[in-house]
Amino acid sequence: MAEDLIITGNTKNELYEGLLPQIKGLITGESNQVANLGNICAALKETFDFFWIGFYIVDGKELVLGPFQGPVACTRIAHGRGVCGTAWAKNETQLVPDVDLFPGHIACSSLSKSEVVIPISKNGIVVAILDVDSSELNDFDATDVEYLTEICQWASDLF
Ligand code: SME
């Protein structure tokens, strides 16, 4: 079966509007967590060419690296540490326009300049986070948060 992504739209909003139904189509009917999280990352990376995008999954008192696209990354992050661990501990999205100004930011790559991290929760408990990094400062906004949050709500069904 062909699984080509069709990328249409000029604005960020239009790109997400075109992408979300395709992501929904990719994950509907498949319950495997790795397969679906992998395809979500690939679809977002292909559309927006993010520097790094991936999931970290709660594993006891740490987050462990899950499916991702981009350069190799830190494998484990402690609860409350860095942007990812903070999103987990607070169960709140972290929109970081300049990672150097975020206390405790974990620099998996010195090329990462801005970041958005969205918690994925199941019955109010965080089970994973989605982390997106850009090599540009101030690259994420409320539009990214809105659409990525919707994707994360679908992803919570995989836990
Ligand atoms: N910067 C993140 C670590 C993960 S990497 O960016 C892939 C953080 O501070 O939690």
Side-chain angles (χ1 to χ4, degrees), residues 19-135:
L19 178 62
L20 259 70
Q22 296 186 76
I23 289 184
K24 187 78 172 165
L26 280 168
I27 65 176
T28 298
E30 174 54 67
S31 59
N32 185 274
Q33 186 186 89
V34 172
N36 285 346
L37 297 182
N39 258 343
I40 290 170
C41 290
L44 284 160
K45 172 83 171 170
E46 200 173 329
T47 301
F48 294 105
D49 196 25
F50 292 132
F51 173 70
W52 193 92
I53 174 158
F55 293 93
Y56 280 91
I57 298 169
V58 172
D59 181 22
K61 295 180 177 172
E62 294 175 318
L63 293 167
V64 65
L65 184 61
F68 72 97
Q69 295 260 321
V72 293
C74 323
T75 310
R76 287 183 180 269
I77 296 173
H79 187 254
R81 298 291 303 277
V83 186
C84 296
T86 300
W88 175 21
K90 294 186 171 175
N91 195 358
E92 281 172 11
T93 292
Q94 305 293 307
L95 184 58
V96 183
D98 181 347
V99 295
D100 288 337
L101 300 181
F102 189 97
H105 167 256
I106 300 164
C108 290
S109 166
S110 59
L111 297 175
S112 176
K113 301 291 182 211
S114 58
E115 181 165 0
V116 60
V117 178
I118 295 170
I120 298 170
S121 57
K122 188 100 187 167
N123 303 321
I125 308 290
V126 177
V127 289
I129 61 91
L130 173 65
D131 180 16
V132 193
D133 288 32
S134 172
S135 54

